[in-house]
Amino acid sequence: MKIKEIQVNDYLTKSNLPASDYVINPYVGCPHGCKYCYASFMKRFTGHQEEWGTFIDIKRCDKKINLNQIKNKTVFLSSVTDCYNKMEEKYEITKDILKQLISSECYLSISTKSSLILRDIELLKQIKNVTVSMSINTLDENFKNDMDNAASIEKRLETLKELHNNGIYTILFMSPIFPYITEWKEIIEKSKDYIDEYWFENLNLRGQYKVSIMNYIKERYPQYYEKYVEIYNKNNKQYWINLAQEINNYCDKNKLNYKNYFYHEELVKAKKENKI
């Protein structure tokens, strides 16, 4: 792991994400090294030549977060890294940021795949409006290990349960959903007692990782390969249309709180055009 400390002018960045006004990324890069991570595009802007998942820049910032700037705004921690990656245990950048946000009047959304967030549970309980989402897209630990170096699925579920038991609003972010592989109903049934809301996002394949994921499916799940070709090479959206409707119907029937982000690109475009 190549580690470097860098100085930045501000932790706050304006966001184009549909559900966030601002994002805070305490790190550049992520040791989780998710094979499907869209954030690997960051290498184009940071000058990193290393393989995604093998480098991380630790952001230092002397400027305090402007709490007036984010008053009544939505803030996402984080969009292109995991703010609780394993380096956080040593450097505590995220912990310092949370301390600054205790008296803020923003709506803070934290996303992670790490149980390290439990270290800061007392800080989280002091923040007025905070939600924590944990990304889970399988119950199969072997598939998970093929895809990322983050915490086990069982540990993620335990973390969500502990957060929920401490009064923290919990979101299970089922992302990315792999066609024919992600056991979405089973994940809901296993977790529904301690999840306040579910988010769903489909697997998008683009750039360098499209080839590696398609090769992985061909090798490990050959029974689905032609279906992936139909979805990702022939751009047939019918699978996602049908699945989105099935998920919506299931969640409505079971009175679950949920958001469906299957049409993420359209939502981003709409936000840029000030339609949402």
Side-chain angles (χ1 to χ4, degrees):
M1 178 66 60
K2 184 176 180 180
I3 305 169
K4 181 175 66 173
E5 294 193 33
I6 62 173
Q7 196 72 24
V8 298
N9 295 324
D10 201 332
Y11 280 133
L12 284 176
T13 304
K14 285 285 289 180
S15 170
N16 285 323
L17 295 173
S20 304
D21 297 308
Y22 292 92
V23 295
I24 299 176
N25 289 293
Y27 303 92
V28 176
C30 183
H32 292 340
C34 300
K35 300 295 189 296
Y36 47 75
C37 186
Y38 67 89
S40 58
F41 79 89
M42 289 292 293
K43 289 171 58 176
R44 298 203 306 264
F45 306 103
T46 63
H48 286 280
Q49 301 299 318
E50 306 89 345
E51 183 180 350
W52 181 252
T54 67
F55 67 89
I56 190 165
D57 295 347
I58 317 298
K59 289 186 179 180
R60 299 289 189 184
C61 184
D62 297 328
K63 178 184 175 183
K64 295 298 182 184
I65 294 172
N66 185 341
L67 300 187
N68 288 328
Q69 187 177 349
I70 59 174
K71 185 176 180 179
N72 298 322
K73 302 293 185 181
T74 52
V75 178
F76 183 39
L77 184 69
S78 301
S79 62
V80 292
T81 189
D82 191 317
C83 58
Y84 281 102
N85 70 78
K86 62 184 180 181
M87 296 303 164
E88 169 63 19
E89 189 168 6
K90 174 182 178 180
Y91 291 97
E92 298 190 342
I93 306 296
T94 299
K95 186 174 186 177
D96 289 341
I97 288 170
L98 290 181
K99 288 178 179 178
Q100 294 185 55
L101 295 176
I102 284 177
S103 59
S104 72
E105 296 181 49
C106 73
Y107 296 89
L108 178 64
S109 177
I110 302 172
S111 180
T112 184
K113 292 180 179 176
S114 172
S115 59
L116 180 58
I117 191 171
L118 295 179
R119 178 201 66 186
D120 296 337
I121 202 162
E122 293 305 318
L123 280 173
L124 296 175
K125 288 159 71 172
Q126 296 178 66
I127 299 175
K128 186 177 179 181
N129 300 298
V130 62
T131 65
V132 175
S133 63
M134 189 78 66
S135 296
I136 295 173
N137 68 349
T138 186
L139 295 175
D140 182 346
E141 295 288 358
N142 291 323
F143 176 71
K144 172 261 154 197
N145 290 335
D146 285 343
M147 289 294 121
D148 68 57
N149 301 315
S152 69
I153 298 303
E154 199 60 39
K155 183 69 75 173
R156 296 182 207 182
L157 291 169
E158 290 172 3
T159 299
L160 284 165
K161 187 173 184 178
E162 184 70 16
L163 290 165
H164 178 80
N165 290 342
N166 277 272
I168 306 298
Y169 192 91
T170 53
I171 298 170
L172 193 155
F173 191 17
M174 212 174 295
S175 173
I177 292 176
F178 275 69
Y180 307 100
I181 296 174
T182 297
E183 327 92 303
W184 62 271
K185 285 184 182 178
E186 289 86 346
I187 294 171
I188 292 174
E189 288 302 313
K190 187 175 178 68
S191 62
K192 63 184 180 181
D193 291 341
Y194 47 88
I195 299 301
D196 295 299
E197 188 171 344
Y198 290 91
W199 291 355
F200 302 93
E201 186 176 48
N202 52 327
L203 172 69
N204 286 301
L205 293 183
R206 61 173 74 88
Q208 294 179 341
Y209 63 84
K210 178 178 180 178
V211 173
S212 62
I213 292 293
M214 291 295 284
N215 287 339
Y216 171 83
I217 296 298
K218 188 174 186 177
E219 178 184 346
R220 300 297 294 273
Y221 296 89
Q223 69 272 33
Y224 301 139
Y225 180 70
E226 288 304 322
K227 295 179 178 181
Y228 272 67
V229 169
E230 188 71 23
I231 295 169
Y232 293 107
N233 292 351
K234 298 182 180 178
N235 201 31
N236 187 334
K237 299 183 183 299
Q238 195 59 49
Y239 174 84
W240 295 122
I241 293 169
N242 294 344
L243 183 60
Q245 191 60 58
E246 187 179 356
I247 288 173
N248 293 350
N249 291 342
Y250 181 89
C251 290
D252 289 339
K253 179 181 177 181
N254 289 279
K255 297 181 171 57
L256 300 173
N257 294 322
Y258 71 99
K259 290 187 177 72
N260 193 324
Y261 290 108
F262 273 28
Y263 309 104
H264 180 83
E265 291 182 357
E266 288 86 346
L267 291 169
V268 170
K269 183 179 179 181
K271 180 171 182 177
K272 288 181 178 179
E273 295 174 354
N274 297 316
K275 291 181 181 179
I276 60 173

